[in-house]
Amino acid sequence: EQLEGMRLTSAVDLFSWGAVMVFAATGREAFPGPTQAARIARVLSGQADTDGVPESLVPAVRACLTGDPESRPDARTLLDHLVTGTALSPQESAGAVPQSGPTLVEGVDDGATRRQDPARPHTPYAEAGSGPMPHTSSGAQAPPAAPSGEQAPAPSGSGDQAPPYYFAGRRLRTVQELAHAMQENWTDAVRVMSDAQERATLGAWIIDDLNDTLVDRSLFRRQVSDANAAVATLIAQARPDLPPVFRGHDCSIAGLSRLFEDPRPLLSGDPRSNELGLLARPEVLRTMSQHGGPDAGALRTLADDLVEAERVGARFHQQLAQGLSGWRGTQNHVDPAVILVFLLHSDLVRKPDPGARPGVGEWIEILWARVERSAGAARAGHAAAVYGALETVSVLAHQREQWLSQHRTVAEQQQTLAVQGDSDEGFRRGKVLLYWSTGICLFLTLVTSDVASVIFLSAAIASGIGAVVVASTHTQRFGSAHERKWRSHRAAQLPRVRTSLDSGLQNIERDLAEARRICSTG
């Protein structure tokens, strides 16, 4: 018993050494997974994610991280291997478990149920002729076979003794077959994952009938908010050997570069923008990176850059909304699909064309200064933010142009009304003078002698005629008394209107100045 305890302690220590070596070489866990259950399944499977570990250390690390403690080398063997390069060999078993025959069941031709043939060692998936070895979300192989002589369940995902599952008109026996069929029939797969009852039926087959340890069981035990992502996760975990495909689209770096080669459809509301928007998500790119192809690392990097670019673009919009009064309450969107275009094609990061819209060019010049000051993911994020703000820029520029036009109109009206007011006042005074002159002459006519009264009468008649002519001309040129009163009221209001327009234009100019400061110092 003491010997057995010492041997198990040594196995645990070597397992820890292997996990530390993976983390030191890659900065990642040796057994990553989206959930605790997935990580436990990977530990039990005994195959770590050693991508990035130096090739010279991979055999030793894999040997120490195998799921069966009996199969790990002892410390002396590991040390000899690391120092002299001698071959690794597992520990000798101190107490072998007596072998027993298979469980016999009447009516079964081979006499065994849900077990692996004890006469031959566990055969990896790739060697069994069914394709590459199954992996979990980050590439872990299926769990090893039970010790020789013990009754063992069927290998994870094999389904040799399990009932079949019918999908898209096909009779499937393994999770691997299902994953391949789902990738080829994505619409049917989404329909299954979207329907709670269908998903529960599939989960029962995978979990209960197959006793699968490859696929994250939370896919079937939680509410699925994104059926496409759930399908992609199942495929990547069950068949990481398949090429990265999402909704029928090639998601290798070359495939994504072809899909995201032009930002214009995304900006114009083209129907393709919705489809590309489903692809341009960090979680989708990370799921695609779980396929063990040459682009796995580049897809992970692309996902990280997309997250950073979205954060940078959103922060840029937040700065503008906080600093500029005209931006408050505006809805500006940083489109991840546009970011992906710029990340995959840095040469397409170009200043938007302002067209013939007055004032738009000035705003674009100001905002684009932030793009020119950035590099990498930040440059793509800032450029996408500028493209996402084009509608706001157009509204602000149009508003500024309207206010300038109104300001010019009000100024012209003020000048016209001022001239009209002076002329109107002249006519009014002339009429008053002539009316008084007529009245005075008529009065003098009554109080003077005959000769003088004739003279004053003539003067009264002339003044009266002049008053009538002036009054008629006044009405023709300046309208009725009501119209002249309205014009006078309008002339009194215009200074207040002009003051309001002046204030609005000053706010716009302050926004432009603050935008220049933000974009040049951020």
Side-chain angles (χ1 to χ4, degrees), residues 95-154:
V97 179
Q99 295 188 358
S100 60
T103 303
L104 300 180
V105 179
E106 268 188 54
V108 179
D109 294 339
D110 60 3
T113 60
R114 298 177 65 82
R115 72 175 187 85
Q116 187 172 334
D117 186 358
R120 60 182 177 88
H122 172 65
T123 304
Y125 187 78
E127 298 174 5
S130 300
M133 185 178 297
H135 290 64
T136 61
S137 60
S138 298
Q141 297 174 351
S148 176
E150 294 184 1
Q151 180 177 337

Side-chain angles (χ1 to χ4, degrees), residues 33-41:
T35 64
Q36 184 69 12
R39 288 191 287 272
I40 291 173

Side-chain angles (χ1 to χ4, degrees), residues 29 45 61 87 147 160 179 287 301 364 371 386 394 514:
E29 296 179 7
S45 73
V61 170
D160 292 338
T287 300
T301 300
I364 291 177
V371 181
V386 174
S394 297
E514 180 63 13

Side-chain angles (χ1 to χ4, degrees), residues 293-308:
D295 289 342
L299 286 170
R300 285 194 294 269
T301 300
L302 187 61
D304 294 340
D305 288 345
L306 181 56
V307 171
E308 174 64 13

Side-chain angles (χ1 to χ4, degrees), residues 121-470:
H122 172 65
T123 304
Y125 187 78
E127 298 174 5
S130 300
M133 185 178 297
H135 290 64
T136 61
S137 60
S138 298
Q141 297 174 351
S148 176
E150 294 184 1
Q151 180 177 337
S156 173
S158 68
D160 292 338
Q161 303 296 328
Y165 179 79
Y166 290 88
F167 172 76
R170 297 171 60 179
R171 185 172 182 268
L172 307 173
R173 284 286 187 180
T174 68
V175 177
Q176 291 76 23
E177 291 178 355
L178 172 67
H180 189 260
M182 280 187 162
Q183 192 177 79
E184 292 181 339
N185 301 272
W186 197 281
T187 302
D188 292 332
V190 168
R191 188 177 301 114
V192 170
M193 297 303 287
S194 299
D195 186 282
Q197 185 174 354
E198 290 289 339
R199 190 173 69 256
T201 301
L202 175 60
W205 180 68
I206 292 176
I207 297 172
D208 300 331
D209 295 337
L210 299 185
N211 192 27
D212 172 75
T213 59
L214 301 177
V215 178
D216 185 359
R217 298 187 177 194
S218 66
L219 290 174
F220 311 103
R221 292 173 175 171
R222 298 176 183 170
Q223 182 177 359
V224 172
S225 59
D226 188 341
N228 284 288
V231 171
T233 299
L234 189 153
I235 295 171
Q237 292 178 350
R239 289 294 302 274
D241 60 293
L242 291 175
V245 172
F246 186 83
R247 291 177 58 84
H249 300 293
D250 177 11
C251 289
S252 64
I253 294 298
L256 290 173
S257 297
R258 289 190 294 270
L259 285 170
F260 295 87
E261 62 179 0
D262 187 357
R264 287 174 296 182
L266 303 171
L267 301 170
S268 62
D270 189 285
R272 288 175 295 172
S273 62
N274 294 329
E275 184 71 14
L276 296 180
L278 293 175
L279 274 167
R281 295 180 290 170
E283 59 270 23
V284 170
L285 297 177
R286 291 195 177 103
T287 300
M288 294 297 101
S289 74
Q290 294 175 11
H291 290 272
D295 289 342
L299 286 170
R300 285 194 294 269
T301 300
L302 187 61
D304 294 340
D305 288 345
L306 181 56
V307 171
E308 174 64 13
E310 283 191 86
R311 185 193 67 80
V312 166
R315 174 58 181 161
F316 186 29
H317 279 168
Q318 184 181 12
Q319 285 181 302
L320 294 172
Q322 291 176 346
L324 311 182
S325 60
W327 285 68
R328 292 169 191 163
T330 58
Q331 299 297 322
N332 297 303
H333 177 58
V334 182
D335 191 343
V338 175
I339 292 178
L340 208 52
V341 171
F342 293 151
L343 288 174
L344 292 167
H345 304 279
S346 58
D347 57 304
L348 294 180
V349 181
R350 303 167 187 162
K351 192 184 307 179
D353 181 11
R357 297 167 292 179
V360 174
E362 182 178 4
W363 271 109
I364 291 177
E365 287 290 341
I366 293 172
L367 299 179
W368 200 254
R370 174 65 74 88
V371 181
E372 296 298 337
R373 293 172 57 87
S374 308
R379 181 178 176 85
H382 285 139
V386 174
Y387 276 87
L390 287 179
E391 184 175 350
T392 295
V393 165
S394 297
V395 170
L396 292 176
H398 179 66
Q399 184 184 61
R400 183 191 185 196
E401 189 64 24
Q402 277 190 322
W403 285 16
L404 285 172
S405 176
Q406 289 179 10
H407 191 275
R408 288 191 294 268
T409 300
V410 168
E412 291 172 358
Q413 286 181 353
Q414 274 190 297
Q415 185 176 3
T416 300
L417 290 176
V419 172
Q420 287 179 343
D422 292 341
S423 182
D424 179 60
E425 182 65 17
F427 272 94
R428 189 187 67 80
R429 289 178 180 178
K431 286 192 301 181
V432 170
L433 180 61
L434 289 173
Y435 289 149
W436 274 101
S437 176
T438 300
I440 292 171
C441 289
L442 287 174
F443 174 77
L444 293 175
T445 299
L446 296 175
V447 300
T448 58
S449 60
D450 294 339
V451 177
S453 70
V454 172
I455 295 173
F456 285 122
L457 179 61
S458 300
I461 293 172
S463 296
I465 294 173
V468 171
V469 171
V470 169

